[in-house]
Amino acid sequence: SDVFLKYAKEVRHISESTLNNLKITEGKDWMPKAKENISTIHFNYFLNDELINIKYRGKNKDFKLHKDSEKIFYNLDSIATDKECVIVEGEWDVCAFVESKIYNVISVPNGFTVKGDIKLDYLDNYYNYFENKERIYLALDADEAGRKGQAEFITRLGADKCYLIDFKDCKDANEYLIKYGANELNKLKKEAKQVPLEHVETLKDFEADLDDFY
């Protein structure tokens, strides 16, 4: 609808072409917070071009996944053959990276919380998608819950493969896109830093001491 297109463009800074690229749709659905049928955005979760799950999002952060459907990463097909991928914490963050012409990006189906264990059953079930990766960029939310999820991904995927994207004064990719634009968001991937490896030191670790000695 025109209302949805206007919201995506003016509020989220996401173009219609990105919405089409990611096969995002809308409809009317019963939502738990509103307790009635309301207009919702449908983030459709595909696997091998087959619809597996749907994330419904309404006003006031009212959202749900399709009942009894399998939990998988959002936009998982986009990383099947690539040697690199970006992992984010929300569907709008996937949209933001696609808007910045980075297409091999996936999102966890549920955000992380500070309390309780991090459940990554969807990673265990599709771990084979990450076995061919040379670089995995973690672009999770810059809050306590996001950092907890980040640490879990590093443990599961290996620090030698993981690179951290820093959103600086923003919480996530979509906020960074809104504030600084698509070109600047694209640059963040190039500026990502590899996770420091335990018991491994590089020239940069000694650079200041060497300069001082010289």
Side-chain angles (χ1 to χ4, degrees):
S1 68
D2 290 339
V3 172
F4 176 33
L5 291 174
K6 184 179 180 182
Y7 168 77
K9 184 178 180 180
E10 295 183 4
V11 178
R12 295 287 184 169
H13 291 210
I14 302 298
S15 65
E16 186 174 354
S17 62
T18 292
L19 300 177
N20 290 333
N21 182 306
L22 293 167
K23 301 176 184 175
I24 297 168
T25 54
E26 64 175 325
K28 285 214 168 203
D29 301 276
W30 189 92
M31 297 300 286
K33 209 169 181 181
K35 292 185 169 52
E36 62 177 334
N37 285 325
I38 61 172
S39 295
T40 57
I41 299 167
H42 294 183
F43 291 102
N44 300 300
Y45 283 60
F46 289 92
L47 182 63
N48 299 321
D49 288 327
E50 180 185 350
L51 184 62
I52 301 296
N53 207 330
I54 303 171
K55 170 78 71 67
Y56 305 90
R57 280 191 173 274
K59 291 181 178 178
N60 303 317
K61 295 187 177 180
D62 200 355
F63 65 89
K64 67 178 182 181
L65 285 163
H66 191 269
K67 188 178 179 183
D68 298 327
S69 291
E70 183 186 4
K71 278 196 294 185
I72 65 171
F73 285 97
Y74 179 62
N75 201 34
L76 188 57
D77 284 345
S78 73
I79 71 164
T81 58
D82 279 13
K83 296 295 184 185
E84 298 182 353
C85 72
V86 179
I87 302 177
V88 300
E89 204 176 329
E91 295 84 4
W92 282 120
D93 297 322
V94 170
C95 293
F97 273 106
V98 171
E99 194 71 24
S100 72
K101 296 183 169 51
I102 294 172
Y103 302 102
N104 51 342
V105 54
I106 59 175
S107 171
V108 300
N110 287 329
F112 302 117
T113 57
V114 176
K115 295 181 180 178
D117 295 331
I118 300 285
K119 294 182 180 179
L120 295 177
D121 50 318
Y122 47 87
L123 172 59
D124 298 333
N125 294 338
Y126 294 95
Y127 189 82
N128 60 303
Y129 276 74
F130 301 92
E131 289 179 324
N132 70 328
K133 299 293 178 282
E134 295 173 359
R135 289 191 176 202
I136 298 169
Y137 294 87
L138 300 179
L140 305 172
D141 288 3
D143 56 18
E144 189 177 350
R147 285 188 287 274
K148 184 178 176 183
Q150 176 180 283
E152 193 66 29
F153 270 114
I154 291 169
T155 299
R156 303 282 191 98
L157 298 173
D160 58 313
K161 285 186 176 183
C162 292
Y163 289 74
L164 306 181
I165 291 179
D166 181 7
F167 292 119
K168 300 172 184 176
D169 60 339
C170 295
K171 182 189 174 187
D172 54 35
N174 191 214
E175 185 179 327
Y176 198 89
L177 172 75
I178 293 166
K179 190 168 183 178
Y180 297 108
N183 289 338
E184 293 301 314
L185 178 59
N186 185 285
K187 289 178 185 176
L188 288 188
K189 182 168 174 275
K190 298 170 186 173
E191 297 170 0
K193 299 285 192 297
Q194 186 177 14
V195 174
L197 302 178
E198 288 187 30
H199 312 302
V200 175
E201 293 175 295
T202 68
L203 181 59
K204 284 188 177 180
D205 297 318
F206 300 98
E207 203 163 24
D209 288 339
L210 287 170
D211 287 343
D212 184 56
F213 177 75
Y214 178 77

